[in-house]
Amino acid sequence: MATAETHPFTGTVYLTHLAALDVTGPDAEKFLQGQTSAQVGLANGHFAPLTCFCTPKGRMLANAQLLRLAPQHYRLVLDASLAESLANHLKKFAAFYKTELTIATSVTFVGSSAPDTSLLEQAGVTLPDQAYTHHTSPLGTALRMPGTARWLLMLMLEETPPEKASQETLQQAWQLADIRSGLAWLTAAQQDHFLPQMLNWEALGGISFKKGCYTGQEVVARAHFRGQVKKRLVHAHVSASALPQIGDSLVDKEGKALGEVVNSAFSDEQQVELLAVMNTKVAEEQISVYWQAQPVTLHALPYPIERLDPEALAAQLS
């Protein structure tokens, strides 16, 4: 297994592929506790755990990062293609609680390796120095992302982001940083398809095995404790002039499917890095992998594939 490049993301970019789903009201914490894989009480205005929402069969409807912005105000940061469908799904249960779900359309998302000081002053935030943590003011939030040093800013600004085309290279670089961090964010094309463990979510602290019931919890816990997860997220690269699409098959030399692409981005001209969910026997048996007849090289992930309890992570960051 090869060692991946570790060049960090550099620059500042508007991230139009993200959305914020706000959950507010006196029952917001209680409501979320019954729906999401996170121990919601750990989201304390400082620690921002990864989390996911599942079907009763344990398949992921969405994954997100959970922040508490105020005592009765939680925010889920997720792919924009999932915000409306997740809101509609959760509203079926929210009717029984004093809580509201709103897609925060006024939020501007900015990703940066070194946010501009004037922008931070305008938003009234400082940069947290630990991954999974955030600082929030009435005008915005600065969140330190897992992996290499970069920050996600959620700003209540009136400015209009530039056209996507003008930002395409930097947006690719941001997604490449996600790939190199082993972070796979679901899109609408992947709903109801993966168990959380298939995206290594428990290795990133995205599943609490110490909390009470939530939708899909029984299946997720059984898969973990019985060692039934036979597919895992992998990081790889391939020489190609076009990006592999979400869901594209990775195959062996006979053309038998071994896995499928979750995300991809150019790392250089004619070079693509990707995340894929792949059968665990590929690494164990050193099976050769191909995409469209091109050999695929697997890389080591930047974290071990073992359970990371969010309770322990929160204590470490407190």
Side-chain angles (χ1 to χ4, degrees), residues 23-208:
V23 184
T24 57
D27 293 341
E29 179 177 345
K30 182 180 179 181
F31 165 69
L32 284 170
Q33 183 73 358
Q35 295 298 324
T36 187
S37 65
Q39 188 76 267
V40 178
L42 297 177
N44 57 5
H46 173 69
F47 177 55
L50 298 177
T51 191
C52 65
F53 297 83
C54 298
T55 69
K57 294 183 179 180
R59 301 287 167 161
M60 299 172 78
L61 292 171
N63 59 354
Q65 198 154 6
L66 175 65
L67 298 78
R68 193 189 76 178
L69 305 185
Q72 297 182 8
H73 183 181
Y74 292 85
R75 170 165 292 169
L76 295 160
V77 180
L78 70 167
D79 191 88
S81 69
L82 291 172
E84 186 173 356
S85 63
L86 181 62
N88 290 337
H89 168 75
L90 293 176
K91 283 177 181 178
K92 294 183 291 186
F93 309 98
F96 303 99
Y97 296 86
K98 295 178 181 178
T99 189
E100 294 184 5
L101 292 100
T102 308
I103 298 173
T105 56
S106 60
V107 176
T108 297
F109 291 91
V110 179
S112 184
S113 58
D116 184 83
T117 302
S118 63
L119 193 63
L120 295 174
E121 290 176 350
Q122 187 179 353
V125 293
T126 57
L127 293 182
D129 58 4
Q130 295 174 304
Y132 296 91
T133 65
H134 67 98
H135 180 256
T136 295
S137 81
L139 294 178
T141 296
L143 170 66
R144 171 74 183 265
M145 299 296 292
T148 56
R150 57 193 176 119
W151 288 264
L152 177 63
L153 307 180
M154 289 161 266
L155 307 174
M156 305 294 291
L157 302 177
E158 295 181 357
E159 61 185 275
T160 302
E163 291 295 324
K164 184 176 181 180
S166 69
Q167 295 268 292
E168 188 171 352
T169 299
L170 280 169
Q171 288 169 346
Q172 281 268 322
W174 182 268
Q175 297 211 36
L176 181 61
D178 278 342
I179 290 169
R180 289 174 172 173
S181 298
L183 278 170
W185 299 104
L186 286 184
T187 66
Q190 303 158 315
Q191 270 193 314
D192 197 9
H193 193 50
F194 300 121
L195 290 171
Q197 291 96 326
M198 293 179 184
L199 297 188
N200 300 344
W201 218 235
E202 89 283 29
L204 289 159
I207 306 172
S208 172

Side-chain angles (χ1 to χ4, degrees), residues 1 281-288:
M1 189 171 290
K281 71 178 182 181
V282 173
E284 293 166 359
E285 301 176 13
Q286 297 185 328
I287 298 172
S288 296

